Amino acid sequence: MKYKFIYIILSILISVSSCKEYKEKKVQDQKPNIIIIYADDLGIGDVSSYGSTELLTPNIDRIANEGIKFTNGYATSPTCTPSRYSLLSGTYPFRKKGAQVLRGNAPLLFDLGKQTLPSMLRDAGYYTGVIGKWHLGLGDENLDWNDKVSPGPLEIGFDYSYVMASTNDRVPSVYVKNHSIVNLDPEDPIEVSYKENFEGEPTGKENPEMLKVHPSHGHDMSIHNGISRIGFMKGGKSALFIDEDMADDFLLEAKNYITDHKNEPFFLFYSLHQPHVPRVPHPRFAGKSGLGPRGDVILEADWDVGQLLDHLEVLGLSENTIVIFSSDNGPVLDDGYKDDAVIKIGKHTPSGLLRGGKYSLYDAGTHVPFMVRWKGTIKPGVSDALVCQMDFTASFAAMTKQENKTIDSENILDALLGISNYGRDNLVLGQNNITAFRQGDWILIPPHQGPKIFGFVNIESGRDSIYQLYNIKDDEGQQDNLAFELPEKVEEMQEVLDRIKSKILK
Ligand code: NG6
Ligand code: CA
């Protein structure tokens, strides 16, 4: 009897450990393709799998339903450049001087030679590519756009790049393929300035009659395709992108990239431009959401995601590809163009139940849709593990047996694959000195100077002269400031935050 009992216990132990080994072996022995689909300014409440009822996103939902939907998934920052910087560098944006919204002719933000997500994957044997929005600077301060556009994505670890130079609302309004502007006519060179206009060139401010989309704030400089932008440019007419075609341009590139590299492990950073301003859908989607152009371009982005997933299916790659979907920061309605985003919002709540939005230290600034699918390997489900985009480098380094040489990226592979329900302990949110701090279910916002509401975007900044402390599990909408009641918690979290911020750099 006694022996029988010992035998049973031993068999259970052996089968449990071999099951774990099987999972680890299976994951570690493979180099699945990795695709990160990264939306621009998409809120957690814009996605139907996170509760949106006014706007349906069935294709994005497919990733959530066939994979893991994270309910505590984060970008590091409530704006684009810093979030993208940390996703690719594995480093907090507050450690990097200048990691904030960049002008369109800013130099490359990265320190060359340091490990990045793509360089790590390249070392692991992946072919690496970026398609879509870049907004991380290109070249140096004196870049001649007509010459070799470098350094850029190819110098930080990508083998292939096809990117929008900056943002769709910043000049130069062109795509850059590897080191050159696409379709540039050498007879019509391009010039870019963020200081002054070029003689004789129309602007949104002087020539509103030329506009089909009008600015509400800023965005009144150079005009192309009937839309005035931030910054001045001249020439390069044959290279200018058409906003209505941008989604199709990037999708085609992404599909071709996948087809071309289907026989080797590949990484694709598919960086969508939607729903960032100017919101100009292809006519196929215009008016389709009932929420104005912002809703329409979200439907367009959702369709793009569906096309990409279908393409993987047709090529037989679904089971051999990790697909991640997330957003670089939270949502905003009026972000500088009169595009009906505010007046047509109806009952739609882009931030879901969270407080704030893009630019904000409140949760909706950085708490974004976040889902990971690996058909056949990941068991579909929902996870409340704390996960951040900055952790992809360390996690996929662990998966591909590479060394993680970045500063802040943490190995949360088990959480990303649904093996564990535990991710990070804590996460610093924000950029520069404007930061909040999440630890477990708590969010601390130290006192920061500045406006409580960001003017025309009409979003609460999260800044206050006093400490704010919220328990995000009990109080998702951050209404109940517990800082006065729990001074020890405030002190403890501030200490950990200070320690992380003063970490000696490797
Ligand atoms: C702001 C722009 C906004 C957007 C943002 C960057 C104005 C008035 N507002 O300065 O339109 O471009 O920068 O957005 O110019 S991000 O998602 O790329 O960070
Ligand atoms: Ca953004």
Side-chain angles (χ1 to χ4, degrees), residues 158-328:
F158 285 107
D159 293 309
Y160 179 75
S161 77
Y162 190 100
V163 295
M164 183 194 346
S166 173
T167 66
N168 41 345
D169 58 342
R170 283 175 179 76
V171 302
S173 311
V174 294
Y175 301 140
V176 180
K177 178 175 173 175
N178 296 327
H179 286 141
S180 327
I181 290 185
V182 177
N183 291 332
L184 185 64
D185 175 0
E187 302 293 309
D188 180 26
I190 194 164
E191 289 178 74
V192 180
S193 168
Y194 273 70
K195 293 200 177 100
E196 56 192 358
N197 194 16
F198 299 95
E199 214 183 311
E201 292 297 312
T203 62
K205 194 170 179 183
E206 309 288 332
N207 307 87
E209 74 286 352
M210 290 175 67
L211 301 179
K212 63 182 178 193
V213 179
H214 291 262
S216 60
H217 289 274
H219 300 106
D220 60 357
M221 295 161 239
S222 284
I223 303 174
H224 107 265
N225 194 27
I227 304 167
S228 49
R229 326 255 168 176
I230 308 173
F232 301 102
M233 71 176 284
K234 182 184 176 198
K237 291 276 180 289
S238 57
L240 299 177
F241 57 61
I242 305 295
D243 303 76
E244 289 83 345
D245 294 337
M246 188 176 284
D248 289 346
D249 294 341
F250 291 153
L251 177 65
L252 183 65
E253 272 293 320
K255 285 167 72 174
N256 287 343
Y257 175 88
I258 293 170
T259 309
D260 291 349
H261 301 286
K262 67 179 192 305
N263 294 326
E264 60 189 320
F266 67 80
F267 165 56
L268 170 62
F269 181 38
Y270 179 34
S271 175
L272 307 175
H273 66 288
Q274 304 111 322
H276 195 280
V277 295
R279 298 159 181 144
V280 189
H282 188 274
R284 298 195 303 280
F285 299 95
K288 289 287 183 309
S289 68
L291 299 177
R294 183 173 185 278
D296 298 344
V297 298
I298 293 175
L299 296 187
E300 180 187 67
D302 183 66
W303 183 83
D304 292 332
V305 170
Q307 293 296 301
L308 198 86
L309 296 179
D310 288 351
H311 191 64
L312 291 175
E313 201 66 40
V314 168
L315 295 178
L317 295 177
S318 294
E319 305 229 323
N320 187 29
T321 304
I322 296 179
V323 179
I324 297 172
F325 180 88
S326 199
S327 174
D328 66 344

Side-chain angles (χ1 to χ4, degrees), residues 40-41 80 133 135 169-170 219 230 276 335 358-359:
D40 190 1
D41 300 358
C80 176
K133 177 170 174 170
H135 206 188
D169 58 342
R170 283 175 179 76
H219 300 106
I230 308 173
H276 195 280
D335 205 15
K358 183 177 180 178
Y359 309 112

Side-chain angles (χ1 to χ4, degrees), residues 16-30 67-70 322 372-374 376-385 387 395-396 398-399 411-423:
V16 165
S17 69
S18 63
C19 172
K20 186 153 195 292
E21 254 170 36
Y22 169 73
K23 265 229 141 139
E24 277 170 7
K25 187 166 181 297
K26 197 176 167 206
V27 168
Q28 300 241 326
D29 280 358
Q30 289 185 53
I68 300 190
K69 180 180 83 170
F70 289 91
I322 296 179
V372 180
R373 184 188 88 163
W374 184 0
T377 298
I378 287 182
K379 195 163 156 257
V382 178
S383 169
D384 58 8
V387 295
S395 304
F396 293 133
M399 185 177 80
N411 175 7
I412 53 161
L413 183 65
D414 281 357
L416 293 178
L417 301 181
I419 298 167
S420 160
N421 204 28
Y422 200 79

